[in-house]
């Protein structure tokens, strides 16, 4: 089955509204100059730059995502942003359970599951991040960790909803470190995730779900990673901040 690749950029805590407009316009013109792309392009700036991003991306092939979302719709939840509010702005994607949310801000598997269930009640496309830490990989626990994270995230979700979920496999030891998983290491974990989805939701869902790789993806290594069977795109941090390098990664998809 052919799955449309996704190239998503996670800008983390970078770029104000003006910088966001400028980078998105530059990215759109670089993608056009390269003859366009069949991949879905997603840019995820900070919350305060989302409006500017949506406006700058209008008329281009770039879609906008948020980096986090609340599991609630409204109420006494200081600092939170609801999925309805993101949809209202024109946002189409949202990252859930990024390793920095898990390991810096203490998000648990249950919180990731609650956020995912909430998002799937609406129209946003969720990108759920999973991945092992260095001590897990070195201790031979990669499979166990990824299995637990994927199973917990998808708990209580219907087949119809599950097929809309995008999973990003991001080994924590490869994020922002310049150390990338080898294409074979990435493909092995992607296969494990797809098999897990097949066992829980059946073949149609498993064949449709897109699984992205993330962790120090750069223009120089993107092609090899993207050529793996079970890799359906990439989630890019550092190299997505600069329009020319992000456009070069998009070209590989
Ligand atoms: C990320 O933030 O999801 C990421 C993969 O970062 P980097 O590409 O910088 O490793």
């Amino acid at each position: 089955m052919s799955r449309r690749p996704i190239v998503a950029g996670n800008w983390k805590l970078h770029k104000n509204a003006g910088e966001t407009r400028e980078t998105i316009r530059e990215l759109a013109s670089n993608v056009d100059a390269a003859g366009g792309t069949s991949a879905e392009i997603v840019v995820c700036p900070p919350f305060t730059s989302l409006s500017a991003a949506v406006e700058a991306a209008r008329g281009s092939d770039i879609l906008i995502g948020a980096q986090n979302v609340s599991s609630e719709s409204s109420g006494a939840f200081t600092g939170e942003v609801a999925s309805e509010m993101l949809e209202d702005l024109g946002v189409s994607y949202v990252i859930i359970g990024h390793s920095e949310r898990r390991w810096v801000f203490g998000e648990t598997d249950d919180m990731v599951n609650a956020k995912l269930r909430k998002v799937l009640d609406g129209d946003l496309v969720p990108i759920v991040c999973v991945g092992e830490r260095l001590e897990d990989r070195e201790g031979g626990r990669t499979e166990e960790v990824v299995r637990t994270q994927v199973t917990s995230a998808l708990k209580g979700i219907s087949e119809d909803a599950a097929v809309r979920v995008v999973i990003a496999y991001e080994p924590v030891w490869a994020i922002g470190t310049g150390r990338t998983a080898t294409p074979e290491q990435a493909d092995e974990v992607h296969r494990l995730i797809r098999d897990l989805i097949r066992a829980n939701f059946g073949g149609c869902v498993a064949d449709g779900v897109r699984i992205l790789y993330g962790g120090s993806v750069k223009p120089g290594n993107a092609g090899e990673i993207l050529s793996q069977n079970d890799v359906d795109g990439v989630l890019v941090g550092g190299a997505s901040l600069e329009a020319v390098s992000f456009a070069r990664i998009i070209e590989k998809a």
Side-chain angles (χ1 to χ4, degrees):
M1 180 189 212
S2 79
R3 293 178 290 267
R4 188 170 179 206
I6 298 175
V7 180
N10 173 17
W11 284 0
K12 311 192 188 198
L13 187 48
H14 296 287
K15 295 192 192 281
N16 62 24
E19 293 161 339
T20 294
R21 270 188 215 98
E22 203 177 307
T23 309
I24 289 186
R25 286 185 189 136
E26 202 191 331
L27 178 63
S29 67
N30 273 279
V31 172
D32 276 353
T37 175
S38 55
E40 266 170 58
I41 307 170
V42 183
V43 172
C44 305
F47 283 128
T48 48
S49 295
L50 284 172
S51 256
V54 168
E55 178 201 308
R58 204 161 281 139
S60 76
D61 288 333
I62 300 169
L63 295 165
I64 304 304
Q67 299 172 18
N68 187 21
V69 67
S70 174
S71 56
E72 303 293 334
S73 286
S74 63
F77 302 107
T78 303
E80 292 289 275
V81 174
S83 54
E84 292 88 342
M85 295 168 176
L86 297 174
E87 287 184 38
D88 182 54
L89 279 185
V91 168
S92 333
Y93 282 77
V94 63
I95 299 172
I96 298 177
H98 188 278
S99 65
E100 285 148 20
R101 299 297 323 162
R102 291 175 187 264
W103 300 113
V104 182
F105 297 102
E107 271 186 27
T108 62
D109 284 338
D110 284 348
M111 289 161 82
V112 170
N113 175 248
K115 289 178 181 205
L116 179 61
R117 290 161 75 137
K118 172 67 175 32
V119 162
L120 289 170
D121 279 342
D123 292 328
L124 293 177
V125 178
I127 301 177
V128 178
C129 301
V130 299
E132 80 286 4
R133 289 177 299 170
L134 186 58
E135 58 264 43
D136 298 322
R137 176 152 288 262
E138 288 179 345
R141 291 185 299 276
T142 298
E143 179 171 341
E144 175 193 330
V145 168
V146 171
R147 196 177 273 280
T148 302
Q149 289 177 343
V150 172
T151 310
S152 311
L154 297 175
K155 205 165 43 190
I157 285 165
S158 69
E159 278 175 30
D160 286 352
V163 79
R164 284 174 49 208
V165 178
V166 177
I167 309 259
Y169 168 56
E170 299 206 304
V172 181
W173 48 270
I175 296 182
T177 58
R179 232 183 120 175
T180 334
T182 63
E184 294 73 25
Q185 280 174 328
D187 203 44
E188 190 184 353
V189 179
H190 283 223
R191 244 190 341 268
L192 161 78
I193 295 171
R194 205 176 299 287
D195 287 346
L196 199 52
I197 293 172
R198 184 169 289 110
N200 284 287
F201 297 97
C204 279
V205 177
D207 289 344
V209 162
R210 289 171 295 177
I211 307 174
L212 316 184
Y213 170 79
S216 298
V217 173
K218 309 273 179 253
N221 59 21
E224 212 186 350
I225 291 168
L226 283 160
S227 69
Q228 301 299 306
N229 266 349
D230 277 297
V231 175
D232 306 311
V234 284
L235 179 54
V236 186
S240 70
L241 288 169
E242 209 263 309
V244 174
S245 73
F246 196 38
R248 285 178 56 212
I249 294 172
I250 293 165
E251 270 177 53
K252 315 279 183 196

